Amino acid sequence: MSPSALRRPLLVRTRDDLQRELSVLRGTGGALALVPTMGSLHEGHLSLMDRARDLADLSVASVFVNPLQFGPGEDLERYPRRLERDFELAAQRGIDLVFAPDPEIMYPDGPPQVRVEPGLLGERLCGRFRPGHFQGVLAVVVKLFGLVRPDVAVFGRKDFQQTVLIRRAVHDLELGVEIEVAPLVRASDGLAMSSRNVHLTPPERREAVGIFRGLIAGQEAFRKGERSGPSIVESFSAVVSGYPAVRLQYAEIVDPETLEPEEEVSEASVLAVAAHCGDVRLIDNIVLGAEEPDPRISHSR
Ligand code: PAF
């Protein structure tokens, strides 16, 4: 019988409690999966938890709104926080342990002095608009790996650039954690699930779907034989321009590992985008050659 079937999942908020419960869990044996999150869980996160349980015998989720990855003027203060609900949802998904530290517990000596430098990968795409963001992400992810010592960690594909950086950090620093990237989960109209979607007003929420429709237009252009990166981006932008509430920050087609912009694209190329809708920043991406769209979704306005 799996440990999850034997015990009620636990919520721990301190390092000592985390270590105590981890050693109890580890005593039951088996591989351990970690799902790092910033909470306010949605179907996307829950699918990461399902994946974690498929991959490992023991599962830990973290819920921590990491101040280091928010720049000045970004939405740290208003980032949604719903710990009780998150814990219930994680428990329903069979997670064994939820670690939800306060910032003073995560960073007892203040922000860490020694950081992982994301390098060029962190300067591309979102990195151009969010200086320091990926350094903050890597700081907390490496710390969580050190605290939890998972065999595998599961991240969502929506944060495409983040997953590329985390894989690269694990490779470059020999962190010894397997990184699993789970598929992006979309609402029934195609909008990528994000904790920030709760801040969209109803009209903004209706318009936000333009991002997905633009991505589908880009993918369709590729399917019809277009191989020029800029032309595919144009197909994307033409659709998005029909949704005035969506203000594009960038749309680029990049190599899936180096994140270098591509003039000439291939099946593996990724069309990655960021846009503001009202004051909510949304990101999304699509692999040009991948099976993506839900056939129930209408692509026209
Ligand atoms: O993807 C997120 O929610 C965050 O960037 C992560 C990986 C939990 C680090 O804070």
Side-chain angles (χ1 to χ4, degrees):
M1 202 186 285
S2 81
S4 325
L6 294 172
R7 342 170 342 119
R8 166 116 181 105
L10 283 174
L11 174 64
V12 290
R13 308 218 54 195
T14 66
R15 285 156 173 266
D16 286 350
D17 289 350
L18 173 68
Q19 295 312 331
R20 193 189 58 245
E21 294 307 327
L22 277 175
S23 71
V24 174
L25 263 187
R26 284 219 177 80
T28 64
L32 189 146
L34 171 67
V35 183
T37 81
M38 296 210 297
S40 199
L41 302 180
H42 50 67
E43 281 301 321
H45 295 115
L46 301 180
S47 76
L48 305 184
M49 295 183 182
D50 292 345
R51 189 73 194 117
R53 293 201 57 223
D54 287 345
L55 290 170
D57 312 279
L58 313 169
S59 51
V60 176
S62 59
V63 173
F64 178 62
V65 182
N66 173 32
L68 298 186
Q69 67 189 75
F70 291 79
E74 290 191 345
D75 56 349
L76 172 62
E77 303 314 329
R78 70 169 197 149
Y79 196 88
R81 288 159 171 88
R82 312 171 79 180
L83 182 55
E84 254 177 54
R85 176 182 166 276
D86 289 346
F87 176 62
E88 281 312 316
L89 289 172
Q92 284 163 21
R93 257 8 208 231
I95 290 290
D96 296 303
L97 193 58
V98 176
F99 177 46
D102 283 332
E104 312 77 61
I105 300 290
M106 186 61 102
Y107 301 119
D109 309 312
Q113 285 192 42
V114 176
R115 303 286 181 97
V116 177
E117 174 53 61
L120 203 53
L121 288 176
E123 287 166 25
R124 299 196 188 281
L125 302 174
C126 289
R128 282 198 283 134
F129 302 94
R130 303 190 71 189
H133 168 68
F134 290 110
Q135 197 197 64
V137 169
L138 291 178
V140 79
V141 167
V142 170
K143 216 168 168 62
L144 285 167
F145 288 175
L147 286 167
V148 177
R149 311 255 163 194
D151 298 285
V152 55
V154 187
F155 297 88
R157 187 184 164 85
K158 182 176 74 71
D159 297 292
F160 159 64
Q161 185 172 12
Q162 167 173 288
T163 63
V164 172
L165 270 155
I166 291 170
R167 271 194 206 286
R168 189 64 202 228
V170 166
H171 172 83
D172 286 353
L173 305 174
E174 312 281 358
L175 296 178
V177 181
E178 190 189 319
I179 301 301
E180 172 76 6
V181 177
L184 199 156
V185 176
R186 298 185 179 283
S188 60
D189 64 354
L191 179 67
M193 294 277 186
S194 164
S195 304
R196 291 183 166 100
N197 291 351
V198 296
H199 292 310
L200 294 168
T201 63
E204 288 163 359
R205 173 63 189 80
R206 284 193 292 277
E207 293 256 313
V209 72
I211 298 172
F212 174 67
R213 293 187 177 159
L215 291 174
I216 292 300
Q219 204 181 44
E220 273 171 9
F222 176 79
R223 291 219 170 106
K224 287 184 184 147
E226 182 59 76
R227 292 296 178 267
S228 148
S231 301
I232 293 178
V233 170
E234 253 171 50
S235 309
F236 166 83
S237 304
V239 170
V240 172
S241 64
Y243 297 83
V246 177
R247 299 180 327 275
L248 208 54
Q249 192 171 57
Y250 71 79
E252 273 187 56
I253 302 196
V254 296
D255 174 278
E257 278 174 27
T258 65
L259 304 183
E260 271 174 44
E262 292 188 322
E263 287 288 314
E264 183 77 19
V265 303
S266 71
E267 294 228 317
S269 304
V270 177
L271 171 52
V273 306
H276 285 95
C277 204
D279 55 3
V280 183
R281 186 174 183 275
L282 302 170
I283 56 172
D284 203 339
N285 67 86
I286 206 163
V287 179
L288 291 181
E291 268 320 301
E292 173 83 21
D294 181 329
R296 288 168 306 171
I297 295 166
S298 140
H299 302 154
S300 56
R301 181 121 219 214

